[in-house]
Every structure is written in C-alpha cells, then in structure tokens.
Amino acid sequence: MNTGLRIAAFAAAVAAVFAIAFGVGRVAGPDPEPAPGPSTHQPDPPHSSAHPEGSGEGH
C-alpha cells in the first residue's frame, strides 16, 4: 500500500465517522424548542448592611 492510498483511506474513514456522528446527532439531538416549564427563579432578598446606619462609625 503506497502512502497516497493510505492517506486517502484515512481521509475516507474520518469522513465516514464524521458523517455517522452527524447523522446520530440529527436523530438524537436536543429538542429545537424546549417546552416552557414552571419558573423556579426567586428574586434575591434585600441585602442587609454589615454596618447599620447609626452604628457610631464616622465615614
């Protein structure tokens, strides 16, 4: 087997693996538009100051 034929066989094998992976990804890929579900996001609570006003510190 000469070098040119080996490189061509390798390129064909890589292309075949890529094509198979692409096909599997198209079949088993993620949903194009996920269904909306209930929101579990809660707003952040107000932050309390580490030094409340009137603590005697001069700024």
Side-chain angles (χ1 to χ4, degrees), residues 9-53:
F10 177 76
V14 169
V17 169
F18 179 78
I20 291 169
F22 183 77
V24 169
R26 297 283 287 175
V27 170
D31 293 334
E33 192 73 31
S39 175
T40 59
H41 177 72
Q42 299 292 329
D44 291 335
H47 297 287
S48 63
S49 174
H51 299 285
E53 293 188 33

